[in-house]
Amino acid sequence: GENVEQHPSTLSVQEGDSAVIKCTYSDSASNYFPWYKQELGKRPQLIIDIRSNVGEKKDQRIAVTLNKTAKHFSLHITETQPEDSAVYFCAASSPTSYDKVIFGPGTSLSVIP
Amino acid sequence: NAGVMQNPRHLVRRRGQEARLRCSPMKGHSHVYWYRQLPEEGLKFMVYLQKENIIDESGMPKERFSAEFPKEGPSILRIQQVVRGDSAAYFCASSPLRSRGSYNEQFFGPGTRLTVL
């Protein structure tokens, strides 16, 4: 089945700097890659997703890139703000596994004011 | 349009008791997923259900855990004879009926935090 790895597990950046989180997946049939943000004690919330037919997607300060050949995808947050501090999860979904979503282990991002 | 609802939000059980967790999907959603999150860990897939069908239960422990999504009413995750290791946050997520070419966007409920004494 699908296996999603995520790095780094923790990340500290200064406010205003950029943050990059990288993920790899194992199932070459995966075609949907969502990113979730989870604040302490809260539910995971979808912040952006990318489908396998595009290589990049941007939404304001957040961008995701996908390299299907290498089975890599990344989240980029620019001009970070303290409210970006949270745990971020990447995930992958494959039609060969009933489209269930498999999550990476998470990255704890701290933005230092 | 109400979001995914879960109840109770907090549940305390003693070892050996049963825990029942409920999930009502978003209106119009027919797919439900259950995940378990241990403290400071990631989301582990447990089970995927559609109305009256278990599609994938590969993440469910073999014993004591069961899930259902009846034709009417919420989805229920049932844990029998709970042990301390069952203490975790249990999230459900729902997604709409997929049409050809659509993707599996999931929306999460607020979670149920189970504490086993």
Side-chain angles (χ1 to χ4, degrees):
Chain A
E2 177 66 277
N3 181 49
V4 179
E5 297 186 352
Q6 183 171 351
H7 299 280
S9 57
T10 60
L11 179 60
S12 290
V13 299
Q14 290 291 135
E15 182 177 358
D17 287 350
S18 295
V20 179
I21 301 171
K22 297 182 178 182
C23 291
T24 61
Y25 61 98
S26 60
D27 186 348
S28 56
S30 289
N31 60 1
Y32 175 62
F33 306 91
W35 287 86
Y36 286 82
K37 174 184 180 182
Q38 186 178 30
E39 297 175 357
L40 190 62
K42 302 285 184 65
R43 76 186 77 186
Q45 298 219 315
L46 180 70
I47 55 171
I48 195 168
D49 57 19
I50 189 166
R51 286 93 193 263
S52 59
N53 56 346
V54 299
E56 185 173 356
K57 182 177 178 180
K58 191 173 181 180
D59 183 4
Q60 299 183 339
R61 296 186 296 109
I62 295 174
V64 290
T65 58
L66 171 65
N67 181 332
K68 285 205 69 180
T69 303
K71 292 189 277 188
H72 289 177
F73 57 116
S74 301
L75 177 72
H76 303 250
I77 306 174
T78 58
E79 300 172 18
T80 53
Q81 301 168 2
E83 51 265 40
D84 294 330
S85 296
V87 178
Y88 290 81
F89 293 98
C90 63
S93 175
S94 168
T96 62
S97 300
Y98 305 106
D99 295 308
K100 66 174 183 266
V101 176
I102 301 299
F103 286 83
T107 295
S108 178
L109 173 64
S110 298
V111 179
I112 303 165
Chain B
N1 186 9
V4 180
M5 298 171 66
Q6 288 187 250
N7 69 81
R9 296 290 305 276
H10 300 274
L11 181 61
V12 179
R13 286 287 178 266
R14 296 191 181 279
R15 281 179 297 169
Q17 293 184 320
E18 180 179 285
R20 282 187 177 232
L21 289 61
R22 296 174 185 79
C23 170
S24 296
M26 287 179 71
K27 187 177 180 181
H29 285 194
S30 58
H31 302 239
V32 166
Y33 310 80
W34 285 93
Y35 296 88
R36 177 164 62 178
Q37 187 174 37
L38 295 170
E40 298 187 9
E41 291 194 11
L43 294 149
K44 299 298 184 185
F45 168 80
M46 298 181 73
V47 62
Y48 165 28
L49 309 109
Q50 295 178 17
K51 289 279 188 183
E52 301 183 282
N53 273 314
I54 297 174
I55 305 302
D56 184 346
E57 56 181 348
S58 58
M60 288 277 272
K62 299 299 182 190
E63 298 178 347
R64 303 187 297 108
F65 285 72
S66 62
E68 62 177 4
F69 189 15
K71 186 177 180 181
E72 301 291 337
S75 174
I76 295 175
L77 179 67
R78 182 183 179 203
I79 311 172
Q80 296 178 289
Q81 300 173 0
V82 296
V83 301
R84 287 210 175 114
D86 297 333
S87 296
Y90 292 84
F91 289 94
C92 82
S94 72
S95 67
L97 181 66
R98 290 185 68 235
S99 55
R100 189 180 295 274
S102 68
Y103 294 86
N104 194 16
E105 185 174 344
Q106 297 187 9
F107 299 87
F108 279 80
T112 293
R113 278 148 186 86
L114 172 65
T115 301
V116 180
L117 302 178

